[in-house]
Amino acid sequence: MNKEELIEKAKEARELSYSPYSHFKVGAAILTKDGQVFVGANIENSSYPLCMCAERNALYNAMLHGVKKQDMVAMALSANTDEPCSPCGACRQVISELFPKKAPIYMSNLKGDVKETNIDELLPFAFSEDDLK
Ligand code: THU
């Protein structure tokens, strides 16, 4: 699966968003070494702090299907934003723990803009398990 196809999966997942409060739909898709794709969308709650982002749902979906960190090869996310949608701070911290440091992250929007990055660039000097030693 190529970059464009993974972004398309994120856009499809976006349609599954449950976002009656923000009306801001986000979709994410994670590609594995063996070509599987695990998606996520944001799921909100009337108790606002309980809202969960698309990126974290995609990561947890992959993990709960037995996917290991080293088997994740790329992530795409998409939302209806002017610039390619960028992961929030909380998601960056979780991505930094669960997703390979240099694996591509394709941020995109519905207009077709794409920015390629990785979690090392998105969250330099991350807090990690090493800091707990
Ligand atoms: N959201 C995501 O799903 N991912 C992001 O990276 C940014 C924000 C969601 C959370 C909330 O449901 C809505 O977008 C508005 O913040």
Side-chain angles (χ1 to χ4, degrees):
M1 167 164 301
N2 63 29
K3 172 166 82 174
E4 287 73 26
E5 288 168 328
L6 189 63
I7 291 169
E8 198 48 45
K9 293 285 183 194
K11 286 182 182 169
E12 283 171 24
R14 182 179 165 275
E15 293 304 326
L16 300 172
S17 165
Y18 174 75
S19 41
Y21 306 105
S22 72
H23 304 287
F24 185 76
K25 297 179 181 184
V26 186
I30 292 171
L31 179 65
T32 67
K33 264 183 191 157
D34 60 2
Q36 295 184 84
V37 174
F38 294 91
V39 299
N42 55 325
I43 307 288
E44 300 188 340
N45 194 281
S46 52
S47 176
Y48 296 166
L50 301 182
C51 294
M52 181 53 67
C53 291
E55 299 90 319
R56 276 177 281 167
N57 275 334
L59 276 166
Y60 300 153
N61 184 17
M63 287 190 71
L64 291 170
H65 283 86
V67 179
K68 304 289 177 221
K69 180 177 185 172
Q70 62 271 19
D71 294 327
M72 299 184 198
V73 295
M75 179 188 300
L77 67 139
S78 200
N80 190 14
T81 42
D82 278 345
E83 297 296 319
C85 184
S86 179
C88 78
C91 284
R92 291 178 194 212
Q93 179 65 29
V94 172
I95 293 168
S96 139
E97 172 108 12
L98 302 177
F99 191 71
K101 293 273 175 274
K102 302 288 182 191
I105 297 176
Y106 307 119
M107 307 187 298
S108 74
N109 60 20
L110 301 189
K111 294 184 290 179
D113 303 318
V114 178
K115 199 179 281 178
E116 179 174 340
T117 184
N118 59 52
I119 195 58
D120 242 10
E121 288 179 354
L122 288 171
L123 190 64
F125 308 107
F127 183 82
S128 76
E129 60 177 332
D130 296 340
D131 295 302
L132 296 174
K133 286 175 186 155

